[in-house]
Amino acid sequence: MNCVNCGKEIQDGAGFCAYCGAGQNAENPQGAAGPVPRGPELYGQPGPPMKWYKFIIYFQLFAFAVLTVVDGVRYMNGMIYEGYARQVYLMYPGMQTMDVIFGIFCFLMAGYAIYVRQGLANFKAASVKQYYAFLIVGIAYSLLYIAVVSGVTGVPIGSVLRMDAGITANIGIRVGIIFANITYFKKRGHLFVN
């Protein structure tokens, strides 16, 4: 069957179009009063569970944005050294510049987290790939930070990792989330069509 609004081919008996969201009641293409359904409801069926998706869009990406802004501020004013910023910057002058650059990057990543969140919440077709890119860039950022700290200070990478276990944990969590999401979003890929 074809959508009464946009004309695209949709599933027979669908209550709403998967492409434009229009109701398939020929007398009222906009459907019943109220918001256009999203996600599994778009197809007039319960669909797969969406609890993890809701966790991502209502908590994970917002929390990441807030924590990343906090990290950005900490980098830019030297608070990451817990009162030893002056000594660190005297000993390794290149670190102050790098901390400012990483602080700016944190602000950009916080903005990108909100952008990705909005795309996921609106079931945008590209949003799942943007979410993966967001996670991968976070891993690359952590690895780059480790390499830069090692290069500027001369401390071996293994020692940097031992000094900042949070970076190692961050990388591990992101890798785990990527692999968990591959299966999760593959089963729900048909929902992201806007």
Side-chain angles (χ1 to χ4, degrees), residues 21-182:
Q24 296 308 296
N25 178 347
E27 296 168 8
N28 182 8
Q30 297 307 314
V36 173
R38 295 275 189 217
E41 298 81 20
L42 187 67
Y43 297 94
Q45 56 192 7
M50 300 293 281
K51 288 181 182 177
W52 177 250
Y53 163 80
K54 290 178 181 177
F55 171 77
I56 291 170
I57 65 168
Y58 292 120
F59 178 74
Q60 183 190 46
L61 290 170
F62 279 129
F64 178 85
V66 169
L67 293 174
T68 305
V69 167
V70 170
D71 279 349
V73 170
R74 293 181 71 225
Y75 276 118
M76 294 187 85
N77 67 17
M79 288 173 53
I80 59 169
Y81 302 111
E82 299 177 3
Y84 296 100
R86 184 173 179 191
Q87 292 89 330
V88 169
Y89 293 149
L90 286 173
M91 195 173 214
Y92 307 108
M95 283 306 298
Q96 188 166 15
T97 302
M98 293 313 302
D99 287 342
V100 169
I101 291 169
F102 280 112
I104 292 168
F105 181 78
C106 285
F107 297 140
L108 294 174
M109 282 298 288
Y112 188 60
I114 299 303
Y115 174 77
V116 169
R117 185 262 174 222
Q118 292 304 108
L120 284 172
N122 290 307
F123 293 93
K124 299 289 183 186
S127 64
V128 174
K129 289 180 182 175
Q130 291 168 346
Y131 179 58
Y132 289 136
F134 163 76
L135 294 169
I136 290 167
V137 167
I139 292 169
Y141 158 78
S142 297
L143 294 173
L144 178 63
Y145 181 77
I146 291 166
V148 167
V149 169
S150 177
V152 170
T153 64
V155 175
I157 289 177
S159 297
V160 174
L161 288 171
R162 282 191 294 280
M163 287 187 292
D164 194 346
I167 290 177
T168 308
N170 183 18
I171 293 170
I173 289 168
R174 284 176 185 261
V175 168
I177 288 173
I178 289 171
F179 283 109
N181 282 333
I182 288 172

